[in-house]
Amino acid sequence: MISLTRRVRDLDGTRAFYREFGLAETSPGTFATRAGGEQLHLLPGTADEVAELHIGVDSTDDLRAIGAALEAQDVPVERADGTIRAVEPVSGVAVRLSVADRLPADPAPSAPDRVERTELVRRGPVEPLRLGHVAIGCTDVERAKAFFLDGVGMRLSDYVIGGPFMRFETDHHNVVLLPAPMTLLHHTAWKVRDVDEVGYGGSRMIERHPERHAWGLGRHGASANYFWYLKDPAGAFAEYYHSDMDALADGPLFWDPAPGTGDLPVAVWASPALEERPLVPEAMRPPILSADR
Ligand SMILES: [Fe+2]
């Protein structure tokens, strides 16, 4: 289980975006998924940034082991009742770990078992099942990955465009680090029931807001998930995704990658097919010079 707390400059606009995205706002700024509970917290801020990444673990024994492993890396660890907190030193991202239940298995995808197929005709937003992964840009992903792999005990699933994709469940990835000139939240990814919901959700979000469109519909190489990325009002992307490969990620045949061995394309197909750098956050784009300079 993973959840994220963000500080954002445009709190009202970002709240409205995630309500429309299909998350349930249980109290102002707190958003729940259908199966994962409260997985997004938005706080007012003077900058758009990650305030805290929360990772659930199975037991207090796990917490003790993680605390010791982080301290072995000379990372200071704060301990409170049933919680430990540490700051990943490269990105400066605060990570909190506590004992949490594992999420229930995902409901079955909609299947064409009736002639009328009425479940395809929707009126409201899709309701994402859970937050699947968080992708964070940082200046040195190779140093930062040690915190998550050797400290938290995650496993490495893949490398794509120089970034380690790491997991702690049967999902292909739960935390992704992407090379970037500064620390930033690149995207959050919200699992929906099937590719139909990816397409329906994405097209519904851009219907009256074409400026939200970032990239999709497409299918990634790593993890083979279908995707559609939208721009949120706080400088990050929000991804609807569905993968029918995730349950394989803990199988005995899952490979152990090393940097430079992942030659998978970011997308095996997508619309548009090869848009140049489609997922560059605003914070990484060069400023536009004003005409009167
Ligand atoms: Fe993603």
Side-chain angles (χ1 to χ4, degrees):
M1 204 283 284
I2 194 167
S3 67
L4 183 68
T5 304
R6 301 170 60 183
R7 277 185 284 270
V8 299
R9 289 176 295 178
D10 179 5
L11 181 60
D12 289 343
T14 310
R15 284 174 56 198
F17 176 94
Y18 282 100
R19 281 195 297 267
E20 199 177 328
F21 189 77
L23 304 183
E25 191 168 28
T26 52
S27 63
T30 294
F31 292 86
T33 54
R34 271 176 61 189
E38 291 172 348
Q39 294 193 282
L40 176 65
H41 306 273
L42 299 175
L43 304 173
T46 53
D48 296 322
E49 59 192 6
V50 174
E52 187 178 79
L53 180 65
H54 172 238
I55 297 174
V57 304
D58 282 336
S59 67
T60 50
D61 284 349
D62 285 351
L63 276 185
R64 263 192 295 278
I66 291 169
L70 290 172
E71 283 173 339
Q73 297 181 11
D74 293 325
V75 173
V77 174
E78 285 172 34
R79 292 177 174 80
D81 235 9
T83 295
I84 66 173
R85 198 168 185 279
V87 173
E88 192 288 304
V90 178
S91 62
V93 168
V95 179
R96 182 168 58 87
L97 300 115
S98 62
V99 177
D101 290 337
R102 291 196 176 208
L103 297 185
D106 293 330
S110 85
D113 59 356
R114 298 200 298 274
V115 173
E116 63 268 29
R117 295 288 280 145
T118 48
E119 78 276 13
L120 280 182
V121 183
R122 304 177 200 278
R123 293 289 180 265
V126 294
E127 296 174 339
L129 300 171
R130 57 193 167 87
L131 173 60
H133 59 269
V134 173
I136 292 171
C138 78
T139 55
D140 187 341
V141 297
E142 284 305 296
R143 272 180 56 220
K145 78 176 185 185
F147 179 99
F148 295 98
L149 295 177
D150 306 328
V152 176
M154 298 181 70
R155 295 169 72 187
L156 186 60
S157 290
D158 257 310
Y159 268 89
V160 182
I161 51 170
F165 282 47
M166 302 173 288
R167 71 184 187 277
F168 51 72
E169 292 172 333
T170 54
D171 280 21
H172 178 274
H173 49 281
N174 304 109
V175 176
V176 173
L177 298 173
L178 295 172
M182 75 283 275
T183 296
L184 50 82
L185 176 65
H186 185 275
H187 70 271
T188 53
W190 304 85
K191 189 168 190 179
V192 292
R193 287 194 312 167
D194 49 29
V195 65
D196 181 58
E197 289 196 352
V198 177
Y200 173 81
S203 51
R204 188 178 184 279
M205 285 293 283
I206 67 172
E207 201 173 277
R208 284 177 300 121
H209 290 278
E211 76 283 0
R212 289 175 174 166
H213 179 61
W215 199 29
L217 180 69
R219 193 170 200 183
H220 281 307
S223 86
N225 58 294
Y226 300 100
F227 65 81
W228 194 322
Y229 291 87
L230 302 151
K231 289 178 208 167
D232 80 13
F237 301 103
E239 177 187 7
Y240 288 119
Y241 82 97
H242 179 78
S243 174
D244 39 28
M245 298 285 286
D246 275 349
L248 301 179
D250 255 7
L253 299 178
F254 205 71
W255 71 312
D256 240 346
T261 57
D263 289 323
L264 287 170
V266 177
V268 289
W269 57 262
S271 171
L274 285 172
E275 186 184 341
E276 195 188 347
R277 304 178 76 211
L279 289 178
V280 179
E282 286 302 323
M284 283 172 55
R285 292 182 189 271
I288 297 166
L289 299 178
S290 63
D292 56 11
R293 278 190 52 157

